[in-house]
Amino acid sequence: MMKLMHKEAESHDTTASADATFRVRNLNVTARGKTLLRDVNVSIAPRQVFGIIGPSGAGKSTFLRCLNRLTDLTPEIRVSGDVRFEGTSVRDPSVDPDALRARIGFLFQQPVVFPKSIIENVLFGVRRLRRLSRGVLAEVAERALREAALWNEVRDRLNDSALALSVGQQQRLCLARALASEPEAILMDEPTSALDPKSTQAIEELILKLKERHTIVLVTHNIGQARRVTDWLACICVRNGAGTVAETACCDALLENPQCQEVVEYLGSGSSLP
């Protein structure tokens, strides 16, 4: 019988290389004296879908927000350790947080749509980063909407309110807004949990296409989704009261032959969805 034990995260050989999109070392996160994440170490290779799974409350979303410094927007959160994006620390004094977030897009669990027109939503971030002519902005919007597989559905009503779109369309609109800034990476925090099966399928198909040009980091509770779209997985579990990466491996290896008892228990707890 295989002996199961606590197993520290191990990085894929390619992710450990110097060209990793993200390299996280000894990441610790606290809030109001409580440790949320402890000693997180992981590397994420370019142009792959890196999935993050694990029980609720283990700190998966917090980890994701550390990658593009969204944690800065929560004053009580303290972050230590080293998070590098394309070789540079995200907390280097030379790094502008807004510019960083343009390079690292974020798709939230619930669509974040502004009470503005469809095209204004798409261009919201770009307009705050660069001064572009009206013609170039129109080109940017069309490109982003095409990448998000939404152009054909909205091309004749770009000036209509984005609030009139379905939830699935709104989530693709949020994706288009992120893509408009031409990010190198896109972070996705359970992006399909509020969507119906058809919209979920549309987002999953987009993820597989987007990884050809972007690094995708996907938090999901849907193990079926992890099987369908991820290349590599990390399981964040609670250990000694704080979240840590218990195990990393290629998707099939981690799901079919987990080496860590915590991961075995998580996968056997009913978390596996079709």
Side-chain angles (χ1 to χ4, degrees), residues 64 107 175 186-191 207 210 216-219:
L64 209 63
L107 200 61
L175 178 58
I186 305 172
L187 313 178
M188 300 185 177
D189 192 1
E190 297 187 64
I207 289 171
L210 289 169
I216 310 292
V217 186
L218 170 71
V219 169

Side-chain angles (χ1 to χ4, degrees), residues 12-39:
H12 186 194
D13 288 343
T14 59
T15 65
S17 64
D19 65 349
T21 300
F22 293 101
R23 287 176 58 87
V24 179
R25 295 293 178 264
N26 304 316
L27 176 67
N28 293 274
V29 182
T30 61
R32 299 190 180 95
K34 176 179 173 56
T35 301
L36 306 180
L37 291 171
R38 180 185 295 119
D39 294 332

Side-chain angles (χ1 to χ4, degrees), residues 222-238:
N222 187 325
I223 302 304
Q225 181 172 85
R227 290 183 188 276
R228 290 189 292 272
V229 304
T230 65
D231 301 296
W232 199 259
L233 279 176
C235 187
I236 295 182
C237 296
V238 176

Side-chain angles (χ1 to χ4, degrees), residues 155-176:
R155 60 186 302 175
D156 297 324
R157 49 186 179 128
L158 294 175
N159 293 315
D160 290 358
S161 173
L163 300 177
L165 297 175
S166 69
V167 175
Q169 289 174 321
Q170 288 182 359
Q171 191 66 307
R172 281 183 286 146
L173 179 65
C174 293
L175 178 58

